[in-house]
Amino acid sequence: MRTRFGWAGLALLAMMASFATPAHARAAGTTFYVDAESGDDTAAGTSRTTAWKSLAKAGTLRLGPGDRLLFRAGQRWQGRLLLQGAGAPGAPALVGSYGEGPKPVIDGQGLVESAVRISDVHDFTVDGLEVTNYSADTSAYRSGVNLYAKDSGRLENVTLRNLTIHGVNGQGGHSVAAAGLLISIRGNTTPTYFHNLVVEKNEISRIGSYGIIMWSTWSRRSGMTSLYPVETGIPDSEVVTWTPSTGVRISDNYVHDVTGGGITPMHTAGAVIERNRVERAVRGRTKTTGGNVGIWWQGNDDIVVQHNEVSHTGFNGPGSDGHGFDADADNNRSLVQYNYSHHNDGGFFLAVSFAAAPTRDTVVRYNVSRDDGFEGLAASTSTTGTHFLNNTLYITDRVVEVKPPFSGAGKYPFEQVVRLYNNAADVTVRNNVFVNLAGAGFDNKNGIVYDHNLYWGKAGGNGRPPTGQDHAPVVADPKLAEPGSADPAGYRPLPGSPALDAGVTVDSGLFAQGTLDAGRDYAGTPIPDGAPDLGAFQREIAPARVAATLVPQGHLERLADRDQATAWRSVPKPRLPGTVELTYPVARTFRTVTVSAAHAASRAVTEAEVQTHDGRDWVSRGSAKLVWKTDDDTVERQPITLPETVTASRVRLIVKAAAGGPLQINEIALGVPAAGEPYRPGPSTVASTTFQTSPTHTVDALVDGDPGSPWASVSEGVSFPGEFVVDYGSDRPIAAVTLHTAWAKGQGVTDVSLDTWDGTRWVSQAAHHRPAWQELSAKVETSTITLPSPVSTRKIRLTVHDANLQWGNIALYEITTS
């Protein structure tokens, strides 16, 4: 994986084994009190006047069903608190506080691995403590609270709530063995996992590692055979068959000012990470290498990351993360939606894995990114099936600076809106709004599909903002409510925006979680039939009114209620043909009419015609025979595809035949088909060169519309002069030619002449233009050659007389004209 974890020089405290003590003889549901000032460890502990005094005494208690262990508010204890025992379903054990005043404080003083250790518990709640674990010694990693289990089987109904965890210092990096709140599962003899684990409403800050992290030795699958042994001290032999925790919910937490990642769940199935705020993760680090991410996850299935705000994540240069969100190695079917990302120095989102443990089927939808740095949406090594849908990215030209002594020291402008690293495959980019004030590029490789996105912002050499190779790009001002605003609502399109009704239908099959509503926008507005709006916000459009000649007339509204589970059913022997008419409050653009039905093989429509009303008459748009496969509760969907896209507010389905009686229809929905293949433009601009090209770069990069993708020569044997010729296929007006190059002081051309073709010969336009390159960095610079007067020409020729050869090669990223 990428450089997230530092491996060298980590001194870890040995993980402490829990110890058992006999339960006190008592009635079920007993309350125990601890008073640091007036308590007495020899007292009964069962009333405020007979309270215990010390953490050591409290740690001997094994809580049972309905028991409560309460610490007096406003007081402080030093040392380690061990919590153990178990409640019962409906009668959890509780650890909390009593009396008036601030939360009771458990202070580990940096002398213990974790100030609060909760060992092998179930039906157990910890609520309302303040925890710290600070020492001037920074040689070891420490945790505030450690929820720990080892070879304990299924542990249900654990809640960690309303905790304030702060001032937990250590080596100032990001060891997975330390956090403000560490949830760790060990062992390899009894499959162990949490079920219905809730971590909510906690504030975690000033941590010398992670904010919240969860992991398990029950994590071996695919190529995940190790659990960071240098950091955790866990040998690979202890890492055994993937057994995920289930029903995990991490919500409404505030994590800020941590040197590692903010929130990192690992080894779960069906976890929900929602409504958390993470600020200033990967900040204040003393480790000078590596990096981390605001919220990232590894080794999970069907995780949902939604309604979170992540901001100001630190960055240590390319390859060190720094993003708001990251679906890391060995994840399947992540759903990332309704999040707000801003000022994260490494970017908004990254999907990354390694070959033996790929991350698959990640959906990133209806999120808002504002002023994130370096890159927007990225997919990296061995990831497959990454889908970027209906996001709004507002990108500025701010430069992220990494200062020494960090290994990535340098200045980094925003480089790429959509970036593909290495062999990332099956990436789709649909229905997004890109406000690109940095003029950054879009990767067009690895079969990436761009479809119906809106592009706006800083123009390139052709007077247009960069775009992906899009099937139907919208290049226009999206007319947002308040672009640049700190309020996500400022990125809602105004009436008249070209983003309205300009999208394609997204296949709900992408949302494998099933129980989630895949049909809402960032603000919770339902996605209507037909073409959706572009970006994270959808204007509200009421469902269609439904009328029919079929009987009964009741429950017809179910045919357009956007719920596949509800159905309308006719009388046992319906009279056919019959009609179903849908009337929409706003005209809808569509090309498919999809009929959904359960028990379809015996009840569904088998032949139908689609008509629309043009204001005077019904017009036939197409018909189809439908073939169904199942005869059970499975809801099948069959599209009727029309010959062309139409726009109408009244749509009629004529049911000509059905499988039998009664007729059943679950839903009738309009849609716009999405493109399934990369856009492949016909023959147009062609670039060629006399220089020998590097095997890993192609000369097509010079004219692909992406200033971030380079052409490079071989690194040995470059000689001058050499030529580049760009053939546009037909005449175009040209007043200037602009060269784009990064690392220009090391590999940029330094002496170049420009000729244009007049139909029979080359005509000189500029001799010995010498670019004044300024940078030796990843920043793409430009140098413009202005013609004496504009000409109309089909071809241009650049003759390179000299160049910087610091590494033996020359490079050129793009040639544009204006």
Side-chain angles (χ1 to χ4, degrees), residues 260-541:
I263 298 175
T264 300
M266 297 187 191
H267 316 133
T268 71
V272 178
I273 316 302
E274 64 180 355
R275 298 189 305 274
N276 300 285
R277 185 154 59 105
V278 176
E279 286 188 292
R280 296 181 298 278
V282 205
R283 297 284 185 181
R285 299 165 61 243
T286 56
K287 295 285 186 181
T288 61
T289 58
N292 219 280
V293 173
I295 296 178
W296 69 276
W297 52 101
Q298 176 180 297
N300 305 275
D301 283 358
D302 302 303
I303 193 170
V304 179
V305 181
Q306 62 182 8
H307 301 293
N308 302 285
E309 179 180 349
V310 180
S311 66
H312 299 94
T313 303
F315 182 52
N316 193 19
S320 70
D321 304 332
H323 301 74
F325 300 86
D326 168 22
D328 214 277
D330 193 33
N331 289 298
N332 297 301
R333 300 175 302 278
S334 299
L335 178 58
V336 185
Q337 60 183 2
Y338 316 141
N339 299 289
Y340 180 33
S341 172
H342 60 97
H343 296 95
N344 297 294
D345 286 350
F348 162 36
F349 179 85
L350 170 67
V352 63
S353 60
F354 49 87
T359 280
R360 303 181 176 95
D361 303 325
T362 304
V363 175
V364 182
R365 66 187 294 273
Y366 287 105
N367 303 282
V368 175
S369 166
R370 172 178 69 93
D371 213 18
D372 286 322
F374 190 63
E375 62 191 13
L377 301 166
S380 190
T381 307
S382 298
T383 56
T384 59
T386 307
H387 306 284
F388 301 121
L389 315 168
N390 282 99
N391 303 286
T392 295
L393 275 67
Y394 183 82
I395 297 161
T396 67
D397 59 358
R398 77 181 180 98
V399 176
V400 175
E401 183 175 7
V402 180
K403 297 182 178 180
F406 291 100
S407 59
K411 294 182 178 181
Y412 301 95
F414 196 98
E415 280 197 355
Q416 206 78 351
V417 181
V418 176
R419 190 196 299 269
L420 303 184
Y421 292 95
N422 303 320
N423 63 339
D426 188 21
V427 179
T428 58
V429 184
R430 291 193 178 100
N431 294 353
N432 301 280
V433 169
F434 298 114
V435 178
N436 181 8
L437 304 182
F442 294 77
D443 269 347
N444 292 299
K445 59 185 180 182
N446 297 10
I448 188 171
V449 176
Y450 291 92
D451 190 16
H452 285 75
N453 300 284
L454 185 149
Y455 306 87
W456 191 241
K458 184 177 179 180
N462 58 3
R464 293 160 55 94
T467 69
Q469 290 180 355
D470 202 303
H471 284 267
V474 178
V475 183
D477 183 348
K479 299 181 180 178
L480 304 179
E482 192 179 354
S485 168
D487 184 351
Y491 302 91
R492 183 187 297 275
L494 295 170
S497 167
L500 304 181
D501 294 334
V504 294
T505 303
V506 174
D507 183 1
S508 61
L510 290 174
F511 308 102
Q513 289 78 0
T515 58
L516 293 168
D517 183 359
R520 294 183 180 273
D521 77 341
Y522 181 94
T525 303
I527 307 305
D529 269 8
D533 297 342
L534 302 180
F537 290 94
Q538 171 67 50
R539 62 173 171 162
E540 190 163 357
I541 298 174

Side-chain angles (χ1 to χ4, degrees), residues 471-710:
H471 284 267
V474 178
V475 183
D477 183 348
K479 299 181 180 178
L480 304 179
E482 192 179 354
S485 168
D487 184 351
Y491 302 91
R492 183 187 297 275
L494 295 170
S497 167
L500 304 181
D501 294 334
V504 294
T505 303
V506 174
D507 183 1
S508 61
L510 290 174
F511 308 102
Q513 289 78 0
T515 58
L516 293 168
D517 183 359
R520 294 183 180 273
D521 77 341
Y522 181 94
T525 303
I527 307 305
D529 269 8
D533 297 342
L534 302 180
F537 290 94
Q538 171 67 50
R539 62 173 171 162
E540 190 163 357
I541 298 174
R545 299 193 311 273
V546 187
T549 61
L550 298 164
V551 293
Q553 300 294 315
H555 304 303
L556 285 170
E557 72 281 355
R558 294 178 179 175
L559 302 184
D561 64 358
R562 301 167 176 152
D563 185 352
Q564 299 279 344
T566 62
W568 167 87
R569 190 178 301 168
S570 76
V571 296
K573 294 183 178 180
R575 181 177 295 176
L576 300 179
T579 64
V580 179
E581 183 178 336
L582 299 98
T583 302
Y584 295 88
V586 176
R588 309 309 300 139
T589 297
F590 63 99
R591 193 178 178 186
T592 61
V593 177
T594 299
V595 181
S596 302
H599 299 280
S602 63
R603 298 178 184 174
V605 177
T606 57
E607 185 176 358
E609 178 185 353
V610 175
Q611 298 179 342
T612 62
H613 201 273
D614 66 2
R616 294 184 302 174
D617 302 306
W618 287 102
V619 179
S620 178
R621 297 296 186 178
S623 60
K625 292 184 178 181
L626 308 180
V627 178
W628 305 90
K629 298 177 182 178
T630 61
D631 197 11
D632 55 26
D633 289 336
T634 302
V635 177
E636 283 190 70
R637 299 182 303 154
Q638 291 288 338
I640 302 171
T641 302
L642 310 183
E644 59 185 3
T645 300
V646 296
T647 300
S649 59
R650 295 175 66 189
V651 181
R652 188 160 69 179
L653 184 73
I654 301 177
V655 181
K656 295 183 175 180
L663 170 65
Q664 179 169 321
I665 304 175
N666 286 48
E667 196 78 7
I668 300 173
L670 311 182
V672 178
E677 298 290 335
Y679 176 67
R680 304 185 188 281
S684 55
T685 303
V686 176
S688 60
T689 181
T690 61
F691 289 108
Q692 186 177 352
T693 298
S694 163
T696 57
H697 299 84
T698 69
V699 73
D700 294 338
L702 297 176
V703 291
D704 65 357
D706 180 3
S709 62

